[in-house]
Amino acid sequence: MDKKWYIAQAHHVSQELLKLLDRLPFEYFAPMQEKVQNQGGRNVSRNVPLALNYVFFRTADFRLLQSMLRDTSRVHLLYMAPLKDARKDSPEDKYRPLVASDREMEMFIKAASFYTQGAPLTVPDRKLMMKGDKVRIIKGPFEGVEGTLLSQQGKDGGKVIVSISNLVAVSTIDIAPECIQVIKFAHGNRHIYKKMESFKPRIDKAMAKMRADQPLTPEEREQIETFIRRFSSVETETVNTEAKLALFIFQGYVALQMPKEQRQYYLKLRDEILPRVKSENVRQKIQESLQLFQQSISK
């Protein structure tokens, strides 16, 4: 039976409670922070609950966890709202425990554990989160963490919020733009179209230089690399947008003279995307680009 992360809340997460939890046969995570407090005129460093007294337990035996926590009476499991069509005689339908996936917890623990003092653990503002793009951090201490871009600063860098079941969230420090990769734009966000429009003159110039056997400048290479790094993993809402974005990335790899990546995107455009494209204009652009690529490698 697979293990799951179950979400619970304590009246107060204290060192005494942690010692009690250490004796239970479950893996757990209780977010804590180091805080300096003034006691009797001197500063004393203590570990205190990071916020909200949440505790996360990982086990395959929910019944045993439920029973042992009931015996402690100091930590209570959290449950989802009953299903509208739940049967009156079915506790499984009415009382479903709140769970988090291993991936969610891995990222949450990584983000929360980075801080030693004053981690900004909060209840997420759901309206704010809906406006943010889903991103992945690809460099630095938060590498691999996925979350919602919470605040933006210069060229799309900013803070990333990592949440668990919309109950609790931890915000990263400011992340540099080159460390952020967009996974999915917020619903209704036309940001990707603006980025493609802005990138088009640059990639057109780069392709013209390639055909004329002229080298790219370091700045031109950096612009193309940044676009690919930032947007190559974006989930798009339409086939046409997917096709246009893949075409830009393919042309970028061609301009950068990266054979392996060129081949990968050539096959993706030819075999996966082109058969699904309805727009004749988009189909024509893809076919022209594929033909030019074939001509260039056959020389």
Side-chain angles (χ1 to χ4, degrees):
M1 193 172 180
D2 293 337
K3 290 184 176 182
K4 295 180 181 178
W5 281 99
Y6 294 93
I7 305 174
Q9 196 165 28
H11 297 301
H12 177 65
V13 177
S14 61
Q15 290 299 320
E16 181 187 357
L17 177 63
L18 294 182
K19 289 178 182 178
L20 174 64
L21 297 182
D22 285 339
R23 293 198 291 269
L24 299 180
F26 311 111
E27 177 184 353
Y28 76 90
F29 176 62
M32 302 289 284
Q33 64 175 322
E34 186 179 326
K35 210 165 191 178
V36 177
Q37 299 174 331
N38 188 287
Q39 290 188 349
R42 62 192 185 93
N43 291 332
V44 178
S45 180
R46 294 183 179 279
N47 280 327
V48 299
L50 194 132
L52 308 178
N53 293 303
Y54 281 102
V55 184
F56 303 86
F57 294 93
R58 187 170 186 264
T59 180
D61 194 338
F62 173 69
R63 296 301 178 196
L64 179 60
L65 174 66
Q66 191 180 41
S67 173
M68 296 189 80
L69 291 186
R70 188 182 297 121
D71 290 342
T72 69
S73 74
R74 298 173 64 177
V75 183
H76 302 280
L77 288 162
L78 299 180
Y79 294 85
M80 301 173 66
L83 294 169
K84 289 183 179 179
D85 56 350
R87 301 196 311 271
K88 292 182 179 179
D89 60 344
S90 174
E92 288 77 14
D93 285 349
K94 292 176 65 176
Y95 303 107
R96 296 170 297 149
L98 274 175
V99 297
S101 69
D102 282 343
R103 180 64 177 152
E104 280 183 303
M105 287 302 302
E106 176 190 347
M107 293 185 290
F108 184 75
I109 291 171
K110 189 170 187 177
S113 299
F114 179 75
Y115 297 91
T116 56
Q117 294 192 10
L121 193 66
T122 59
V123 175
D125 181 337
R126 297 185 187 184
K127 292 182 179 178
L128 185 60
M129 288 180 66
M130 287 174 63
K131 295 178 183 177
D133 298 332
K134 185 178 179 183
V135 298
R136 178 185 297 116
I137 301 172
I138 56 176
K139 292 181 183 178
F142 293 104
E143 182 178 352
V145 167
E146 295 177 6
T148 303
L149 191 60
L150 176 64
S151 63
Q152 289 181 285
Q153 55 165 14
K155 302 293 184 181
D156 303 325
K159 288 183 171 65
V160 174
I161 188 168
V162 183
S163 68
I164 294 292
S165 300
N166 280 347
L167 283 177
V168 63
V170 62
S171 171
T172 68
I173 55 176
D174 281 335
I175 305 297
E178 62 269 20
C179 298
I180 291 180
Q181 181 182 63
V182 179
I183 300 173
K184 189 173 184 179
F185 287 100
H187 182 68
N189 188 339
R190 297 185 61 80
H191 190 57
I192 186 61
Y193 301 105
K194 294 178 182 178
K195 290 296 181 183
M196 288 195 293
E197 288 171 11
S198 175
F199 184 64
K200 187 178 186 307
R202 295 172 181 173
I203 194 60
D204 286 347
K205 181 180 178 181
M207 294 298 288
K209 277 192 165 187
M210 186 206 70
R211 288 191 290 270
D213 290 326
Q214 296 176 359
L216 299 177
T217 66
E219 181 182 2
E220 288 169 336
R221 291 188 66 88
E222 174 60 27
Q223 289 171 345
I224 295 171
E225 289 169 356
T226 297
F227 184 89
I228 291 172
R229 182 171 59 243
R230 180 69 57 80
F231 303 117
S232 60
S233 295
V234 169
E235 297 176 16
T236 55
E237 294 184 353
T238 67
V239 174
N240 282 346
T241 304
E242 179 188 2
K244 291 175 184 177
L245 182 58
L247 183 57
F248 277 138
I249 293 170
F250 170 62
Q251 292 173 332
Y253 282 132
V254 171
L256 293 173
Q257 299 182 12
M258 299 175 67
K260 180 181 178 181
E261 290 77 8
Q262 291 171 20
R263 181 66 177 170
Q264 175 189 346
Y265 267 81
Y266 175 86
L267 295 175
K268 180 175 182 176
L269 283 164
R270 188 192 69 181
D271 301 337
E272 297 178 26
I273 296 178
L274 190 59
R276 295 186 287 120
V277 173
K278 304 297 184 191
S279 167
E280 283 303 320
N281 184 42
V282 176
R283 289 181 62 85
Q284 183 179 350
K285 288 180 180 178
I286 293 175
Q287 289 167 339
E288 289 174 355
S289 186
L290 296 180
Q291 288 170 4
L292 284 172
F293 175 69
Q294 284 285 24
Q295 292 169 7
S296 68
I297 61 175
S298 62
K299 289 182 181 178

